[in-house]
Amino acid sequence: RFEQARRRRWLDRGIIERGRERTEALLANLLPPPIAERLKDGHRVIADRLSEVTVLFADLKGFSGLSTRVPPDQLVSRLDRVFTAFDELARAHGLEKIKTIGDAYMAVAGAPAPRADHATAAAAMATAMIARLREVEPELELRVGLASGPAVAGVIGRSKYSYDLWGETVNLASRMESHGVAGRVQVAARTRELLG
């Protein structure tokens, strides 16, 4: 009887540990690691004022037309292939993917951890995205906008966490993208200053 109870406690600990590992893996997939750590440490509100970051917005030109001609499973598969390639570029250039909205992609350099070369890193990723899209989906083109400056970052939601950015820099990056030219990177004045 003692042996059965001991074995049961051992099995229960294993189940709890595997559950904790799965939870941590999910958190790491949803949030930047430093932000996930702060949540695990008990922070209820995560909100940071960032003195300077570079925000990247990219949008697939031609995707809406494609969505009317291609079956849904193929459309989602193609979009997944593009965004997976962009995620790889974000990791390679040290940017944090913030979110995708339809066929738009948003990332930031300099958050959650500050970095002096945020504009250079974002510009390198932007040009790499345009080149990579030509390889992955030559039928589509990419408009990219960059803006540098202050922003606020934080985690919103309780049942479904989301790390997001707000502020004029974010709005300006979005405008740079929407008013940009396909196949080009449009940069705001501050980003241009930082790039030299």
Side-chain angles (χ1 to χ4, degrees):
R1 209 170 198 165
F2 173 75
E3 191 59 39
Q4 283 179 332
R6 201 171 112 198
R7 185 164 194 258
R8 184 72 195 148
R9 281 193 309 273
W10 181 79
L11 288 172
D12 287 347
R13 272 193 297 248
I15 291 168
I16 290 168
E17 184 58 33
R18 283 191 300 280
R20 184 177 16 255
E21 288 170 1
R22 275 195 297 266
T23 300
E24 288 186 15
L26 281 171
L27 259 182
N29 199 26
L30 290 172
L31 301 170
I35 301 302
E37 284 302 317
R38 286 169 62 185
L39 275 177
K40 287 190 298 187
D41 288 344
H43 289 80
R44 284 211 166 283
V45 176
I46 295 179
D48 299 316
R49 185 168 304 282
L50 308 167
S51 60
E52 193 159 62
V53 297
T54 297
V55 178
L56 176 153
F57 269 93
D59 186 71
L60 295 168
K61 182 178 179 241
F63 187 78
S64 296
L66 186 67
S67 68
T68 63
R69 299 187 320 267
V70 176
D73 58 332
Q74 288 180 25
L75 187 74
V76 170
S77 177
R78 290 171 76 172
L79 189 60
D80 180 60
R81 192 168 51 245
V82 169
F83 284 166
T84 296
F86 291 172
D87 288 349
E88 290 167 1
L89 291 173
R91 275 190 298 281
H93 291 278
L95 273 73
E96 186 65 44
K97 174 185 175 182
I98 300 301
K99 60 186 163 188
T100 59
I101 308 161
D103 62 342
Y105 189 95
M106 179 186 175
V108 63
R115 61 184 288 181
D117 67 340
H118 55 88
T120 303
M125 178 172 167
T127 55
M129 289 170 81
I130 291 169
R132 187 76 176 108
L133 182 64
R134 287 186 188 122
E135 298 167 11
V136 175
E137 277 295 331
E139 190 177 341
L140 300 173
E141 290 184 287
L142 194 65
R143 280 191 317 261
V144 185
L146 299 178
S148 302
V152 172
V155 176
I156 55 173
R158 290 292 173 258
S159 61
K160 192 173 185 181
Y161 291 118
S162 174
Y163 180 70
D164 209 345
L165 261 66
W166 302 274
E168 186 51 37
T169 302
V170 176
N171 297 337
L172 183 55
S174 176
R175 285 194 299 275
M176 290 291 103
E177 174 275 309
S178 65
H179 291 92
V181 176
R184 301 285 177 115
V185 180
Q186 178 147 304
V187 300
R190 176 66 182 143
T191 308
R192 183 177 171 152
E193 277 177 36
L194 291 169
L195 293 173

